[in-house]
Amino acid sequence: MEEGLIKRLMSSIKCEVCGQRYEVDDINVLGHQEDLWFLSALCPACHTRCLVAAVIREGKVPELITDLSKAELDRFRNAVQLTADEMLDMHNFLKDFDGDFSRLFSQR
Ligand SMILES: [Zn+2]
């Protein structure tokens, strides 16, 4: 799965705050664990930052999950088989965000 494809997928969804569509350039791929991709999108209109997880499998309609809760992240983390390096990446990712997505969303 290529990042370009992931970004095109993301550009089909809208900002939950103002309804603006994301542009490809507004989307950052944070990383992925097999089929689970983590992305951040910065709304070009209202500058609200949004975290998105997408479960993407070949031949299936991608499942986008926004407004992740801590419990959901834990569920995904447990659902995927991780190497040590990937586990460290995910740990750092989760540590940085501290599971407090509402605070993250409120940052401008
Ligand atoms: Zn917006």
Side-chain angles (χ1 to χ4, degrees), residues 15-20 22 43-48:
C15 173
E16 293 190 352
V17 175
C18 72
Q20 175 73 39
Y22 297 117
C43 176
C46 71
H47 303 291
T48 298

Coordinates of all heavy atoms in Angstrom, one line a residue, residues 15-20 22 43-48, ligand 1:
C15 N -13.4 17.7 6.9 CA -13.2 18.1 8.2 C -14.5 18.0 9.0 O -15.6 18.4 8.5 CB -12.7 19.6 8.2 SG -12.6 20.3 9.8
E16 N -14.4 17.4 10.2 CA -15.6 17.3 11.0 C -16.1 18.6 11.6 O -17.2 18.7 12.1 CB -15.3 16.3 12.1 CG -15.1 14.9 11.6 CD -15.1 13.8 12.7 OE1 -15.1 14.2 13.8 OE2 -15.0 12.6 12.3
V17 N -15.2 19.6 11.7 CA -15.6 20.8 12.3 C -16.3 21.8 11.3 O -17.3 22.3 11.6 CB -14.3 21.5 12.9 CG1 -14.7 22.9 13.4 CG2 -13.7 20.7 13.9
C18 N -15.7 21.9 10.1 CA -16.2 22.9 9.2 C -16.7 22.3 7.8 O -17.3 23.0 7.0 CB -15.2 24.0 8.9 SG -13.8 23.5 8.0
G19 N -16.4 21.0 7.6 CA -16.8 20.4 6.4 C -15.9 20.6 5.2 O -16.2 20.1 4.1
Q20 N -14.8 21.2 5.3 CA -13.9 21.4 4.3 C -13.2 20.1 3.9 O -12.8 19.3 4.8 CB -12.8 22.4 4.7 CG -11.7 22.6 3.7 CD -12.1 23.4 2.5 OE1 -12.9 24.4 2.6 NE2 -11.6 23.0 1.3
Y22 N -10.2 17.8 2.9 CA -8.7 17.8 3.0 C -8.1 17.8 1.6 O -8.5 17.0 0.7 CB -8.2 16.7 3.9 CG -8.7 16.7 5.3 CD1 -9.5 15.7 5.8 CD2 -8.4 17.8 6.1 CE1 -10.0 15.7 7.1 CE2 -8.9 17.8 7.4 CZ -9.7 16.8 7.9 OH -10.2 16.8 9.2
C43 N -6.9 20.7 8.7 CA -7.9 21.4 7.8 C -7.4 22.7 7.2 O -6.9 23.5 8.0 CB -9.1 21.6 8.7 SG -10.4 22.5 7.7
P44 N -7.5 22.8 5.9 CA -7.0 24.1 5.3 C -7.8 25.3 5.6 O -7.4 26.4 5.4 CB -7.0 23.7 3.8 CG -8.0 22.7 3.6 CD -8.0 21.9 4.9
A45 N -9.0 25.1 6.0 CA -10.0 26.2 6.3 C -9.9 26.6 7.7 O -9.7 27.8 8.0 CB -11.4 25.8 5.9
C46 N -10.1 25.7 8.7 CA -10.2 26.1 10.1 C -9.0 25.7 10.9 O -8.9 25.9 12.1 CB -11.5 25.5 10.7 SG -11.5 23.7 11.0
H47 N -8.1 25.0 10.3 CA -6.8 24.6 10.9 C -7.0 23.7 12.1 O -6.2 23.7 13.0 CB -6.0 25.8 11.3 CG -5.7 26.7 10.1 ND1 -4.9 26.3 9.1 CD2 -6.2 27.9 9.8 CE1 -4.8 27.3 8.2 NE2 -5.6 28.3 8.6
T48 N -8.1 22.9 12.1 CA -8.2 21.9 13.1 C -7.5 20.7 12.7 O -7.6 20.2 11.6 CB -9.7 21.5 13.3 OG1 -10.5 22.7 13.7 CG2 -9.9 20.4 14.3
Ligands
ZN1 ZN -12.1 22.5 9.2

